[in-house]
Each structure stands twice: as structure tokens, then as C-alpha cells.
């Protein structure tokens, strides 16, 4: 199972928006509505910020939104804040109890 | 408070074995779907395997890179999750996380434990 493809980096100024893509195949992203997104700050474990394509867990700000079209999922962070500077990973169910992760995107707040 | 704490990471030689532990608090591992995920330096996250809740049959599945070498188990009486790693390779070097799973998402993560495989 190949990793999902994400851009290595993305950036924006405070208050702006940044969108990260996550491209897979019809066997993972395109085949199931089990795409999730994780935020990871340096030295910390990942934190779930989006589940089931677009659902925000309790406590995650509305500034984080996500969607999916075909084999590509996207995460948008609006109203960028300094604390949003982190690594972001997507993940998708790929059938047969297997999960695949994205390559990761480093978001920089300029 | 719901919490996961991994331990057992170490430096081990290629071909060696190591057992990682994950202590859960605030919930019962018996009732949860539990996963192991690793983060390989400079590469990214990789799913290692999962064990379903007892109510879902306790099915265990593994990612292709570790299948046949790693074994996931749990001790309900101690509320612990384990990852037995055998025939370790240099490419198994990573930070290992245990996580809970809900609706296809890994909703709670520990802080991770570092495993280094090197001669």
C-alpha cells in the first residue's frame, strides 16, 4: 500500500488560509469516507483534528475544515494563527483493516 | 482522564527482539479498537497494526512491513496493550505510538517510545 501524497510544505501569513491536499487512489481515499487529518507539533504525538472526511472532534476550532473529491482530500486552515505552525498528516482506510498515511505537510506561519 | 503511555523503547541490534507496552487509563482496552503506529524519522507515519475490541471478536491485523515479525496483544486485567517485535531490522527504527480508534480515525495518541535498531 503506497503512502498518500501531500505537498511537503505550505505557508501563509497570520489571518490567511492555507489548503493542504492529500491524494490517494480509488482503493483508499476515493473508496471510503474514512479520511482523517492529524496535527503534530515538534516533539509531540499527533492530534486528531478531522475524522470521517470532514467531522471535527470536540475542541477543534471551526477554522479547521476538510472535504473530499474523488481520490483527493483537502484540509483548509482558515484565520492562520502562530500555533497552527505544525506538521499535518492525512490518513485513509484502505480496506481489509489496513490504514495508510500521507507523506505529511509542514505548515509555516509567516 | 483518558491517557495512553508507551514504554519499552530501546536500542537493539538487528535480528533482536523488543516488547513495547502501552498503559491505558480512563477507559478499558478490552472495549476499544487499539492500533500501533510508527513514525520513521524523515519519512512519516506508518500503520503497524490493530487489535479490535473483544466485542468485535478481537481480530488482529498487521501492516505488510511487519507481518510475520510483530505480534499485538493485550492484557485486560492490567489494561495494557503490547507490541512484541521480533527479527528487528534497521528500517524498524522509529517512534512507536499506541492509539485508540473510533470510526476509522485514531482519536487518542500516546507520547511515543523510541526504538532504534542498529549494530
Amino acid at each position: 500500500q503506497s503512502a498518500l501524497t501531500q505537498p511537503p510544505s505550505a505557508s501563509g501569513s497570520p489571518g490567511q488560509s492555507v489548503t493542504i491536499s492529500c491524494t490517494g487512489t480509488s482503493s483508499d481515499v476515493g473508496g471510503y469516507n474514512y479520511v482523517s487529518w492529524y496535527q503534530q507539533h515538534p516533539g509531540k504525538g499527533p492530534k486528531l483534528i478531522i475524522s470521517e472526511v470532514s467531522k471535527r472532534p470536540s475542541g477543534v476550532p471551526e477554522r479547521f475544515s476538510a472535504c473530499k473529491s474523488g481520490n483527493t482530500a483537502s484540509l483548509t486552515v482558515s484565520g492562520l494563527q502562530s500555533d497552527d505552525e505544525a506538521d499535518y498528516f492525512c490518513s485513509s482506510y484502505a480496506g481489509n483493516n489496513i490504514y495508510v498515511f500521507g507523506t505529511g505537510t509542514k505548515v509555516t506561519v509567516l | 482522564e483518558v491517557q495512553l503511555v508507551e514504554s519499552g523503547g530501546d536500542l537493539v541490534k538487528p535480528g533482536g527482539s523488543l516488547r513495547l507496552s502501552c498503559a491505558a487509563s480512563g477507559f478499558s482496552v478490552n472495549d476499544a479498537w487499539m492500533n500501533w503506529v510508527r513514525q520513521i524519522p524523515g519519512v512519516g507515519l506508518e500503520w503497524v497494526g490493530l487489535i479490535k475490541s473483544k466485542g468485535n471478536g478481537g481480530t488482529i491485523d498487521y501492516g505488510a512491513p511487519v507481518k510475520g515479525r510483530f505480534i499485538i496483544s493485550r492484557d485486560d486485567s492490567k489494561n495494557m496493550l503490547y507490541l512484541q517485535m521480533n527479527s528487528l531490522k534497521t528500517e524498524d527504527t522509529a517512534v512507536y505510538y499506541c492509539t485508540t480508534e473510533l470510526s476509522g480515525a485514531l482519536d487518542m495518541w500516546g507520547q511515543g517510545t523510541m526504538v532504534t535498531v542498529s549494530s
Side-chain angles (χ1 to χ4, degrees):
Chain A
Q1 201 71 31
S2 299
L4 308 175
T5 301
Q6 296 180 236
S9 63
S11 62
S13 299
Q16 289 186 331
S17 296
V18 64
T19 297
I20 303 166
S21 61
C22 168
T23 302
T25 70
S26 58
S27 297
D28 38 62
V29 175
Y32 305 93
N33 286 325
Y34 289 121
V35 177
S36 48
W37 289 89
Y38 304 87
Q39 178 192 61
Q40 185 178 32
H41 287 107
K44 303 283 189 180
K47 172 190 173 185
L48 176 68
I49 57 173
I50 295 287
S51 67
E52 296 181 79
V53 176
S54 59
K55 295 181 179 179
R56 276 188 314 276
S58 174
V60 175
E62 292 182 9
R63 304 185 295 104
F64 293 89
S65 62
C67 61
K68 186 186 84 167
S69 178
N71 297 335
T72 298
S74 299
L75 171 73
T76 297
V77 185
S78 306
L80 271 172
Q81 300 179 1
S82 57
D83 190 50
D84 297 333
E85 187 160 294
D87 292 327
Y88 292 82
F89 297 91
C90 61
S91 176
S92 174
Y93 182 65
N96 297 318
N97 292 325
I98 293 171
Y99 291 86
V100 61
F101 284 94
T103 49
T105 299
K106 181 176 181 59
V107 169
T108 301
V109 180
L110 301 171
Chain B
E1 182 191 4
V2 178
Q3 194 176 16
L4 296 168
V5 178
E6 302 93 337
S7 61
D10 205 347
L11 170 63
V12 61
K13 288 181 168 48
S17 296
L18 197 64
R19 189 179 83 156
L20 304 183
S21 301
C22 172
S25 55
F27 72 100
S28 170
V29 295
N30 187 35
D31 297 329
W33 289 35
M34 303 292 298
N35 288 253
W36 285 98
V37 175
R38 64 187 182 185
Q39 187 161 31
I40 302 170
V43 175
L45 295 168
E46 184 175 73
W47 178 72
V48 173
L50 84 98
I51 181 168
K52 294 184 179 179
S53 64
K54 190 172 182 178
N56 286 106
T59 305
I60 302 174
D61 277 294
Y62 301 93
V66 307
K67 204 165 190 175
R69 299 188 298 123
F70 288 14
I71 301 170
I72 295 174
S73 63
R74 65 175 170 229
D75 185 329
D76 297 337
S77 66
K78 296 181 180 178
N79 214 29
M80 297 282 291
L81 179 72
Y82 301 102
L83 180 65
Q84 176 67 43
M85 303 185 294
N86 303 317
S87 303
L88 281 161
K89 306 175 182 180
T90 55
E91 53 263 42
D92 294 320
T93 293
V95 176
Y96 285 75
Y97 296 96
C98 68
T99 81
T100 55
E101 178 185 331
L102 185 64
S103 298
L106 306 178
D107 58 330
M108 190 186 353
W109 298 62
Q111 86 291 347
T113 187
M114 183 70 204
V115 173
T116 303
V117 184
S118 174
S119 54

